[in-house]
Amino acid sequence: MTRRLSKLFLIFSVLFILTGCWDYKDIQDIHYVTALGVDYEDGKYVVYVQLVDLSAVAKTEAKSSEPTKVYIGKHSGKSISEAINHLYQTAQQRLYLGQVSTFVLTDKAIEHNINDIVDAAFRFNLIRYSSNIFATKKPLDELFSIKGFFNLTPLYSELHFPKPIYENLSYIEPITLRTFISTYRDVSITTTLPTISWSGNDWTEDKKKRKTFTIDGAYVIYYKKSMNWYSVEDLKGSRWITKKTNRTPIEFTKANGTTYISLTHPHVKIKPIVKNNEAKFTLDIDIKGSILELSTNDSLKNLEKFVQDYIKKDIEQTFEIGLKRNGDPLGLGQKLYRKDLRFWKNNNINEPKDYLHANSFEQININVNLANAGTLEYNPFKNEKLPNN
């Protein structure tokens, strides 16, 4: 009898510690927020959330003939947390923020007090630091309503997956929340926060114009001291100083024809030089490219020289625009800080105008190698042969 009671006691003891499904919830029992936006109006923060039907994501092999529905929540509050709590109250099921893949901040929210937004993102324990982050000048409800092609959800768009677009055409690099927070809090690093917009000019659906996402510029932020918006044209020089540039084109027209060249993965060395208590920089760039379109009779050397001058002009233009706006879009300050911390501290450097000036570049050396002219064995050059691939 005693052995039998001991066995029963052991069995019931094990039952208490077994893992169960008491807190199990089906996917349809939870509203998963896929994008979160922050605006600022009338002295309050306005929070927008985007909800997408995840069943359409799970079954892409059986695409629906009906467009995927998108729900957008909106509420305001004195703080971001207060606004989110109001949305919790009116949601018809539990809202879960652990699946947010994109954050979008409006220009008004950034210009009001970006520190509050950074602090809220840093403290909220459900936030995924691998999420994308953008700024925008567009209304958030319209931005979150844009859907993907072929009746796919907005998750299949540049808003949620910007990296493939950047690899195809590298102008302004998208960043994650992790990168934004780490660079924004650094005393020497310039943060480039891309701005996302839409275009209604290029694509149609059943002869009707449809909106598609596009990155139209960026906020260039320097340690809370300098913050201005730059267009894609303003930032053309930035693409030449990052090895992450996967494919970026240049096009130029001369009297004898048009040339279109694609360049990739520049190898960059930025060397700070301190002379007479003044900071200067030398810039060395090696870059390869391919000729995609050619209707001139220029020699290969002439083309490479023209591309070198083109890149140099882009860099100087971006630098000069930044200088006028007390910005450092080329990120020269970080190199100076790491190379000569004593100079940095002795000169009480707090913002770009403390170390940048009109003659900051000692030298800009650019080496261009146009490695091939495409797949066809065709010699477009006068009395000159292209090197083998």
Side-chain angles (χ1 to χ4, degrees), residues 18 86 100 102 107 110 115 177 179 262 279 282 294 345 356 368:
L18 285 176
H86 278 294
V100 173
T102 296
D107 52 343
I110 290 174
N115 296 327
L177 186 62
T179 300
S262 176
T282 62
L294 181 66
K345 291 184 175 180
L356 296 180
V368 175

Side-chain angles (χ1 to χ4, degrees), residues 90-132:
T90 56
Q92 300 307 292
Q93 289 177 300
R94 179 191 172 192
L95 279 184
Y96 183 66
L97 299 179
Q99 294 295 323
V100 173
S101 64
T102 296
F103 290 84
V104 185
L105 315 177
T106 67
D107 52 343
K108 290 182 289 186
I110 290 174
E111 291 164 6
H112 168 67
N113 192 344
I114 194 173
N115 296 327
D116 282 355
I117 301 171
V118 173
D119 184 74
F122 186 73
R123 295 178 186 278
F124 201 68
N125 60 356
L126 286 177
I127 295 302
R128 297 165 60 186
Y129 291 103
S130 59
S131 304
N132 307 299

Side-chain angles (χ1 to χ4, degrees), residues 41-64:
E41 293 179 357
D42 301 326
K44 291 185 177 182
Y45 287 105
V46 184
V47 172
Y48 293 77
V49 296
Q50 178 195 68
L51 303 179
V52 174
D53 182 6
L54 294 184
S55 64
V57 179
K59 297 181 179 180
T60 55
E61 71 278 5
K63 297 175 185 175
S64 172

Side-chain angles (χ1 to χ4, degrees), residues 327-344:
D328 182 13
L330 300 179
L332 302 175
Q334 181 185 6
K335 303 294 182 180
L336 177 62
Y337 180 84
R338 293 182 176 180
K339 176 69 175 179
D340 200 331
L341 182 58
R342 180 177 297 177
F343 170 83
W344 189 279

